[in-house]
mmCIF file with all atom_site columns, all heavy atoms in Angstrom:
data_model
loop_
_atom_site.group_PDB
_atom_site.id
_atom_site.type_symbol
_atom_site.label_atom_id
_atom_site.label_alt_id
_atom_site.label_comp_id
_atom_site.label_asym_id
_atom_site.label_entity_id
_atom_site.label_seq_id
_atom_site.pdbx_PDB_ins_code
_atom_site.Cartn_x
_atom_site.Cartn_y
_atom_site.Cartn_z
_atom_site.occupancy
_atom_site.B_iso_or_equiv
_atom_site.pdbx_formal_charge
_atom_site.auth_seq_id
_atom_site.auth_comp_id
_atom_site.auth_asym_id
_atom_site.auth_atom_id
_atom_site.pdbx_PDB_model_num
ATOM 1   N N   . ILE H 1 117 ? -31.200 -7.790  -5.063 1.00 0.00 ? 128 ILE H N   1
ATOM 2   C CA  . ILE H 1 117 ? -29.885 -7.243  -5.329 1.00 0.00 ? 128 ILE H CA  1
ATOM 3   C C   . ILE H 1 117 ? -29.928 -5.748  -4.978 1.00 0.00 ? 128 ILE H C   1
ATOM 4   O O   . ILE H 1 117 ? -30.725 -4.999  -5.524 1.00 0.00 ? 128 ILE H O   1
ATOM 5   C CB  . ILE H 1 117 ? -29.514 -7.424  -6.836 1.00 0.00 ? 128 ILE H CB  1
ATOM 6   C CG1 . ILE H 1 117 ? -29.477 -8.899  -7.178 1.00 0.00 ? 128 ILE H CG1 1
ATOM 7   C CG2 . ILE H 1 117 ? -28.186 -6.723  -7.142 1.00 0.00 ? 128 ILE H CG2 1
ATOM 8   C CD1 . ILE H 1 117 ? -29.526 -9.207  -8.660 1.00 0.00 ? 128 ILE H CD1 1
ATOM 9   N N   . MET H 1 118 ? -29.124 -5.391  -3.985 1.00 0.00 ? 129 MET H N   1
ATOM 10  C CA  . MET H 1 118 ? -29.103 -4.006  -3.510 1.00 0.00 ? 129 MET H CA  1
ATOM 11  C C   . MET H 1 118 ? -27.992 -3.231  -4.184 1.00 0.00 ? 129 MET H C   1
ATOM 12  O O   . MET H 1 118 ? -26.870 -3.710  -4.249 1.00 0.00 ? 129 MET H O   1
ATOM 13  C CB  . MET H 1 118 ? -28.932 -3.940  -2.013 1.00 0.00 ? 129 MET H CB  1
ATOM 14  C CG  . MET H 1 118 ? -30.127 -4.402  -1.201 1.00 0.00 ? 129 MET H CG  1
ATOM 15  S SD  . MET H 1 118 ? -29.848 -4.101  0.574  1.00 0.00 ? 129 MET H SD  1
ATOM 16  C CE  . MET H 1 118 ? -28.983 -5.587  1.000  1.00 0.00 ? 129 MET H CE  1
ATOM 17  N N   . ILE H 1 119 ? -28.331 -2.018  -4.607 1.00 0.00 ? 130 ILE H N   1
ATOM 18  C CA  . ILE H 1 119 ? -27.332 -1.180  -5.238 1.00 0.00 ? 130 ILE H CA  1
ATOM 19  C C   . ILE H 1 119 ? -27.113 0.096   -4.413 1.00 0.00 ? 130 ILE H C   1
ATOM 20  O O   . ILE H 1 119 ? -28.092 0.716   -3.969 1.00 0.00 ? 130 ILE H O   1
ATOM 21  C CB  . ILE H 1 119 ? -27.801 -0.841  -6.684 1.00 0.00 ? 130 ILE H CB  1
ATOM 22  C CG1 . ILE H 1 119 ? -27.727 -2.142  -7.533 1.00 0.00 ? 130 ILE H CG1 1
ATOM 23  C CG2 . ILE H 1 119 ? -26.907 0.244   -7.321 1.00 0.00 ? 130 ILE H CG2 1
ATOM 24  C CD1 . ILE H 1 119 ? -28.507 -2.054  -8.794 1.00 0.00 ? 130 ILE H CD1 1
ATOM 25  N N   . ASN H 1 120 ? -25.859 0.453   -4.253 1.00 0.00 ? 131 ASN H N   1
ATOM 26  C CA  . ASN H 1 120 ? -25.446 1.605   -3.427 1.00 0.00 ? 131 ASN H CA  1
ATOM 27  C C   . ASN H 1 120 ? -25.909 1.485   -1.984 1.00 0.00 ? 131 ASN H C   1
ATOM 28  O O   . ASN H 1 120 ? -26.349 2.458   -1.387 1.00 0.00 ? 131 ASN H O   1
ATOM 29  C CB  . ASN H 1 120 ? -25.977 2.910   -4.039 1.00 0.00 ? 131 ASN H CB  1
ATOM 30  C CG  . ASN H 1 120 ? -25.117 3.386   -5.218 1.00 0.00 ? 131 ASN H CG  1
ATOM 31  O OD1 . ASN H 1 120 ? -23.905 3.185   -5.200 1.00 0.00 ? 131 ASN H OD1 1
ATOM 32  N ND2 . ASN H 1 120 ? -25.729 3.994   -6.225 1.00 0.00 ? 131 ASN H ND2 1
ATOM 33  N N   . GLU H 1 121 ? -25.769 0.316   -1.450 1.00 0.00 ? 132 GLU H N   1
ATOM 34  C CA  . GLU H 1 121 ? -25.873 0.209   -0.002 1.00 0.00 ? 132 GLU H CA  1
ATOM 35  C C   . GLU H 1 121 ? -24.490 0.550   0.528  1.00 0.00 ? 132 GLU H C   1
ATOM 36  O O   . GLU H 1 121 ? -23.862 1.458   -0.041 1.00 0.00 ? 132 GLU H O   1
ATOM 37  C CB  . GLU H 1 121 ? -26.272 -1.260  0.334  1.00 0.00 ? 132 GLU H CB  1
ATOM 38  C CG  . GLU H 1 121 ? -27.122 -1.380  1.625  1.00 0.00 ? 132 GLU H CG  1
ATOM 39  C CD  . GLU H 1 121 ? -26.366 -1.970  2.783  1.00 0.00 ? 132 GLU H CD  1
ATOM 40  O OE1 . GLU H 1 121 ? -25.129 -2.074  2.692  1.00 0.00 ? 132 GLU H OE1 1
ATOM 41  O OE2 . GLU H 1 121 ? -26.982 -2.303  3.799  1.00 0.00 ? 132 GLU H OE2 1
ATOM 42  N N   . GLU H 1 122 ? -23.947 -0.132  1.519  1.00 0.00 ? 133 GLU H N   1
ATOM 43  C CA  . GLU H 1 122 ? -22.602 0.157   1.955  1.00 0.00 ? 133 GLU H CA  1
ATOM 44  C C   . GLU H 1 122 ? -21.574 -0.105  0.849  1.00 0.00 ? 133 GLU H C   1
ATOM 45  O O   . GLU H 1 122 ? -20.559 0.613   0.726  1.00 0.00 ? 133 GLU H O   1
ATOM 46  C CB  . GLU H 1 122 ? -22.305 -0.694  3.171  1.00 0.00 ? 133 GLU H CB  1
ATOM 47  C CG  . GLU H 1 122 ? -21.023 -0.350  3.860  1.00 0.00 ? 133 GLU H CG  1
ATOM 48  C CD  . GLU H 1 122 ? -20.821 -1.280  5.062  1.00 0.00 ? 133 GLU H CD  1
ATOM 49  O OE1 . GLU H 1 122 ? -21.460 -1.046  6.083  1.00 0.00 ? 133 GLU H OE1 1
ATOM 50  O OE2 . GLU H 1 122 ? -20.032 -2.221  4.938  1.00 0.00 ? 133 GLU H OE2 1
ATOM 51  N N   . ASP H 1 123 ? -21.867 -1.089  0.030  1.00 0.00 ? 134 ASP H N   1
ATOM 52  C CA  . ASP H 1 123 ? -21.055 -1.379  -1.148 1.00 0.00 ? 134 ASP H CA  1
ATOM 53  C C   . ASP H 1 123 ? -21.903 -1.114  -2.383 1.00 0.00 ? 134 ASP H C   1
ATOM 54  O O   . ASP H 1 123 ? -23.110 -1.009  -2.317 1.00 0.00 ? 134 ASP H O   1
ATOM 55  C CB  . ASP H 1 123 ? -20.591 -2.837  -1.143 1.00 0.00 ? 134 ASP H CB  1
ATOM 56  C CG  . ASP H 1 123 ? -19.721 -3.159  0.046  1.00 0.00 ? 134 ASP H CG  1
ATOM 57  O OD1 . ASP H 1 123 ? -18.612 -2.575  0.083  1.00 0.00 ? 134 ASP H OD1 1
ATOM 58  O OD2 . ASP H 1 123 ? -20.109 -3.928  0.902  1.00 0.00 ? 134 ASP H OD2 1
ATOM 59  N N   . HIS H 1 124 ? -21.245 -0.999  -3.550 1.00 0.00 ? 135 HIS H N   1
ATOM 60  C CA  . HIS H 1 124 ? -21.977 -0.725  -4.779 1.00 0.00 ? 135 HIS H CA  1
ATOM 61  C C   . HIS H 1 124 ? -23.038 -1.804  -5.061 1.00 0.00 ? 135 HIS H C   1
ATOM 62  O O   . HIS H 1 124 ? -24.134 -1.510  -5.471 1.00 0.00 ? 135 HIS H O   1
ATOM 63  C CB  . HIS H 1 124 ? -21.029 -0.652  -5.984 1.00 0.00 ? 135 HIS H CB  1
ATOM 64  C CG  . HIS H 1 124 ? -20.106 0.520   -5.920 1.00 0.00 ? 135 HIS H CG  1
ATOM 65  N ND1 . HIS H 1 124 ? -18.796 0.434   -6.312 1.00 0.00 ? 135 HIS H ND1 1
ATOM 66  C CD2 . HIS H 1 124 ? -20.272 1.791   -5.510 1.00 0.00 ? 135 HIS H CD2 1
ATOM 67  C CE1 . HIS H 1 124 ? -18.190 1.600   -6.141 1.00 0.00 ? 135 HIS H CE1 1
ATOM 68  N NE2 . HIS H 1 124 ? -19.094 2.442   -5.670 1.00 0.00 ? 135 HIS H NE2 1
ATOM 69  N N   . LEU H 1 125 ? -22.629 -3.030  -4.810 1.00 0.00 ? 136 LEU H N   1
ATOM 70  C CA  . LEU H 1 125 ? -23.482 -4.158  -5.187 1.00 0.00 ? 136 LEU H CA  1
ATOM 71  C C   . LEU H 1 125 ? -23.553 -5.162  -4.061 1.00 0.00 ? 136 LEU H C   1
ATOM 72  O O   . LEU H 1 125 ? -22.527 -5.584  -3.515 1.00 0.00 ? 136 LEU H O   1
ATOM 73  C CB  . LEU H 1 125 ? -22.886 -4.811  -6.464 1.00 0.00 ? 136 LEU H CB  1
ATOM 74  C CG  . LEU H 1 125 ? -23.612 -6.046  -7.025 1.00 0.00 ? 136 LEU H CG  1
ATOM 75  C CD1 . LEU H 1 125 ? -24.952 -5.638  -7.558 1.00 0.00 ? 136 LEU H CD1 1
ATOM 76  C CD2 . LEU H 1 125 ? -22.767 -6.654  -8.161 1.00 0.00 ? 136 LEU H CD2 1
ATOM 77  N N   . ARG H 1 126 ? -24.765 -5.574  -3.697 1.00 0.00 ? 137 ARG H N   1
ATOM 78  C CA  . ARG H 1 126 ? -24.922 -6.626  -2.748 1.00 0.00 ? 137 ARG H CA  1
ATOM 79  C C   . ARG H 1 126 ? -25.960 -7.605  -3.287 1.00 0.00 ? 137 ARG H C   1
ATOM 80  O O   . ARG H 1 126 ? -27.103 -7.234  -3.466 1.00 0.00 ? 137 ARG H O   1
ATOM 81  C CB  . ARG H 1 126 ? -25.358 -6.084  -1.391 1.00 0.00 ? 137 ARG H CB  1
ATOM 82  C CG  . ARG H 1 126 ? -24.231 -5.359  -0.711 1.00 0.00 ? 137 ARG H CG  1
ATOM 83  C CD  . ARG H 1 126 ? -24.388 -5.356  0.762  1.00 0.00 ? 137 ARG H CD  1
ATOM 84  N NE  . ARG H 1 126 ? -23.122 -5.039  1.374  1.00 0.00 ? 137 ARG H NE  1
ATOM 85  C CZ  . ARG H 1 126 ? -22.939 -4.979  2.684  1.00 0.00 ? 137 ARG H CZ  1
ATOM 86  N NH1 . ARG H 1 126 ? -23.960 -5.201  3.475  1.00 0.00 ? 137 ARG H NH1 1
ATOM 87  N NH2 . ARG H 1 126 ? -21.764 -4.703  3.176  1.00 0.00 ? 137 ARG H NH2 1
ATOM 88  N N   . ILE H 1 127 ? -25.516 -8.808  -3.550 1.00 0.00 ? 138 ILE H N   1
ATOM 89  C CA  . ILE H 1 127 ? -26.405 -9.845  -4.094 1.00 0.00 ? 138 ILE H CA  1
ATOM 90  C C   . ILE H 1 127 ? -26.837 -10.730 -2.969 1.00 0.00 ? 138 ILE H C   1
ATOM 91  O O   . ILE H 1 127 ? -26.002 -11.252 -2.211 1.00 0.00 ? 138 ILE H O   1
ATOM 92  C CB  . ILE H 1 127 ? -25.625 -10.696 -5.136 1.00 0.00 ? 138 ILE H CB  1
ATOM 93  C CG1 . ILE H 1 127 ? -25.086 -9.781  -6.258 1.00 0.00 ? 138 ILE H CG1 1
ATOM 94  C CG2 . ILE H 1 127 ? -26.506 -11.778 -5.700 1.00 0.00 ? 138 ILE H CG2 1
ATOM 95  C CD1 . ILE H 1 127 ? -24.034 -10.465 -7.099 1.00 0.00 ? 138 ILE H CD1 1
ATOM 96  N N   . GLN H 1 128 ? -28.131 -10.883 -2.819 1.00 0.00 ? 139 GLN H N   1
ATOM 97  C CA  . GLN H 1 128 ? -28.639 -11.719 -1.727 1.00 0.00 ? 139 GLN H CA  1
ATOM 98  C C   . GLN H 1 128 ? -29.537 -12.814 -2.290 1.00 0.00 ? 139 GLN H C   1
ATOM 99  O O   . GLN H 1 128 ? -30.427 -12.528 -3.100 1.00 0.00 ? 139 GLN H O   1
ATOM 100 C CB  . GLN H 1 128 ? -29.427 -10.852 -0.763 1.00 0.00 ? 139 GLN H CB  1
ATOM 101 C CG  . GLN H 1 128 ? -30.075 -11.615 0.356  1.00 0.00 ? 139 GLN H CG  1
ATOM 102 C CD  . GLN H 1 128 ? -30.820 -10.731 1.334  1.00 0.00 ? 139 GLN H CD  1
ATOM 103 O OE1 . GLN H 1 128 ? -30.281 -10.301 2.329  1.00 0.00 ? 139 GLN H OE1 1
ATOM 104 N NE2 . GLN H 1 128 ? -32.052 -10.404 1.033  1.00 0.00 ? 139 GLN H NE2 1
ATOM 105 N N   . CYS H 1 129 ? -29.303 -14.070 -1.894 1.00 0.00 ? 140 CYS H N   1
ATOM 106 C CA  . CYS H 1 129 ? -30.148 -15.166 -2.307 1.00 0.00 ? 140 CYS H CA  1
ATOM 107 C C   . CYS H 1 129 ? -30.716 -15.850 -1.096 1.00 0.00 ? 140 CYS H C   1
ATOM 108 O O   . CYS H 1 129 ? -29.976 -16.208 -0.148 1.00 0.00 ? 140 CYS H O   1
ATOM 109 C CB  . CYS H 1 129 ? -29.376 -16.161 -3.131 1.00 0.00 ? 140 CYS H CB  1
ATOM 110 S SG  . CYS H 1 129 ? -28.869 -15.499 -4.693 1.00 0.00 ? 140 CYS H SG  1
ATOM 111 N N   . LEU H 1 130 ? -32.027 -16.072 -1.085 1.00 0.00 ? 141 LEU H N   1
ATOM 112 C CA  . LEU H 1 130 ? -32.705 -16.714 0.036  1.00 0.00 ? 141 LEU H CA  1
ATOM 113 C C   . LEU H 1 130 ? -33.364 -17.999 -0.402 1.00 0.00 ? 141 LEU H C   1
ATOM 114 O O   . LEU H 1 130 ? -34.025 -18.041 -1.453 1.00 0.00 ? 141 LEU H O   1
ATOM 115 C CB  . LEU H 1 130 ? -33.796 -15.770 0.543  1.00 0.00 ? 141 LEU H CB  1
ATOM 116 C CG  . LEU H 1 130 ? -33.340 -14.558 1.366  1.00 0.00 ? 141 LEU H CG  1
ATOM 117 C CD1 . LEU H 1 130 ? -34.301 -13.419 1.169  1.00 0.00 ? 141 LEU H CD1 1
ATOM 118 C CD2 . LEU H 1 130 ? -33.260 -14.937 2.827  1.00 0.00 ? 141 LEU H CD2 1
ATOM 119 N N   . TYR H 1 131 ? -33.182 -19.073 0.375  1.00 0.00 ? 142 TYR H N   1
ATOM 120 C CA  . TYR H 1 131 ? -33.775 -20.344 0.063  1.00 0.00 ? 142 TYR H CA  1
ATOM 121 C C   . TYR H 1 131 ? -34.543 -20.829 1.301  1.00 0.00 ? 142 TYR H C   1
ATOM 122 O O   . TYR H 1 131 ? -34.073 -20.584 2.425  1.00 0.00 ? 142 TYR H O   1
ATOM 123 C CB  . TYR H 1 131 ? -32.717 -21.394 -0.259 1.00 0.00 ? 142 TYR H CB  1
ATOM 124 C CG  . TYR H 1 131 ? -32.376 -21.453 -1.751 1.00 0.00 ? 142 TYR H CG  1
ATOM 125 C CD1 . TYR H 1 131 ? -31.762 -20.409 -2.380 1.00 0.00 ? 142 TYR H CD1 1
ATOM 126 C CD2 . TYR H 1 131 ? -32.628 -22.602 -2.481 1.00 0.00 ? 142 TYR H CD2 1
ATOM 127 C CE1 . TYR H 1 131 ? -31.463 -20.436 -3.712 1.00 0.00 ? 142 TYR H CE1 1
ATOM 128 C CE2 . TYR H 1 131 ? -32.295 -22.719 -3.834 1.00 0.00 ? 142 TYR H CE2 1
ATOM 129 C CZ  . TYR H 1 131 ? -31.735 -21.605 -4.445 1.00 0.00 ? 142 TYR H CZ  1
ATOM 130 O OH  . TYR H 1 131 ? -31.396 -21.697 -5.761 1.00 0.00 ? 142 TYR H OH  1
ATOM 131 N N   . PRO H 1 132 ? -35.637 -21.524 1.102  1.00 0.00 ? 143 PRO H N   1
ATOM 132 C CA  . PRO H 1 132 ? -36.352 -22.068 2.269  1.00 0.00 ? 143 PRO H CA  1
ATOM 133 C C   . PRO H 1 132 ? -35.602 -23.279 2.829  1.00 0.00 ? 143 PRO H C   1
ATOM 134 O O   . PRO H 1 132 ? -34.945 -23.990 2.071  1.00 0.00 ? 143 PRO H O   1
ATOM 135 C CB  . PRO H 1 132 ? -37.727 -22.493 1.705  1.00 0.00 ? 143 PRO H CB  1
ATOM 136 C CG  . PRO H 1 132 ? -37.481 -22.757 0.279  1.00 0.00 ? 143 PRO H CG  1
ATOM 137 C CD  . PRO H 1 132 ? -36.373 -21.847 -0.146 1.00 0.00 ? 143 PRO H CD  1
ATOM 138 N N   . GLY H 1 133 ? -35.676 -23.471 4.148  1.00 0.00 ? 144 GLY H N   1
ATOM 139 C CA  . GLY H 1 133 ? -35.063 -24.631 4.755  1.00 0.00 ? 144 GLY H CA  1
ATOM 140 C C   . GLY H 1 133 ? -33.529 -24.574 4.683  1.00 0.00 ? 144 GLY H C   1
ATOM 141 O O   . GLY H 1 133 ? -32.957 -23.486 4.536  1.00 0.00 ? 144 GLY H O   1
ATOM 142 N N   . PHE H 1 134 ? -32.935 -25.708 4.825  1.00 0.00 ? 145 PHE H N   1
ATOM 143 C CA  . PHE H 1 134 ? -31.458 -25.780 4.968  1.00 0.00 ? 145 PHE H CA  1
ATOM 144 C C   . PHE H 1 134 ? -30.846 -26.042 3.588  1.00 0.00 ? 145 PHE H C   1
ATOM 145 O O   . PHE H 1 134 ? -30.655 -27.173 3.190  1.00 0.00 ? 145 PHE H O   1
ATOM 146 C CB  . PHE H 1 134 ? -31.133 -26.946 5.945  1.00 0.00 ? 145 PHE H CB  1
ATOM 147 C CG  . PHE H 1 134 ? -29.726 -26.960 6.419  1.00 0.00 ? 145 PHE H CG  1
ATOM 148 C CD1 . PHE H 1 134 ? -28.964 -25.792 6.466  1.00 0.00 ? 145 PHE H CD1 1
ATOM 149 C CD2 . PHE H 1 134 ? -29.128 -28.128 6.858  1.00 0.00 ? 145 PHE H CD2 1
ATOM 150 C CE1 . PHE H 1 134 ? -27.685 -25.806 6.943  1.00 0.00 ? 145 PHE H CE1 1
ATOM 151 C CE2 . PHE H 1 134 ? -27.857 -28.179 7.343  1.00 0.00 ? 145 PHE H CE2 1
ATOM 152 C CZ  . PHE H 1 134 ? -27.108 -27.000 7.366  1.00 0.00 ? 145 PHE H CZ  1
ATOM 153 N N   . GLN H 1 135 ? -30.599 -24.963 2.862  1.00 0.00 ? 146 GLN H N   1
ATOM 154 C CA  . GLN H 1 135 ? -30.101 -25.088 1.495  1.00 0.00 ? 146 GLN H CA  1
ATOM 155 C C   . GLN H 1 135 ? -29.009 -24.059 1.223  1.00 0.00 ? 146 GLN H C   1
ATOM 156 O O   . GLN H 1 135 ? -29.037 -23.344 0.236  1.00 0.00 ? 146 GLN H O   1
ATOM 157 C CB  . GLN H 1 135 ? -31.200 -24.906 0.446  1.00 0.00 ? 146 GLN H CB  1
ATOM 158 C CG  . GLN H 1 135 ? -32.391 -25.866 0.614  1.00 0.00 ? 146 GLN H CG  1
ATOM 159 C CD  . GLN H 1 135 ? -33.317 -25.807 -0.595 1.00 0.00 ? 146 GLN H CD  1
ATOM 160 O OE1 . GLN H 1 135 ? -33.014 -26.303 -1.642 1.00 0.00 ? 146 GLN H OE1 1
ATOM 161 N NE2 . GLN H 1 135 ? -34.479 -25.202 -0.409 1.00 0.00 ? 146 GLN H NE2 1
#
Side-chain angles (χ1 to χ4, degrees):
Chain H
I128 299 164
M129 288 188 274
I130 292 164
N131 280 326
E132 212 252 12
E133 188 182 282
D134 296 296
H135 293 141
L136 180 65
R137 289 206 161 179
I138 302 166
Q139 176 179 266
C140 292
L141 285 149
Y142 270 65
F145 194 25
Q146 303 191 74

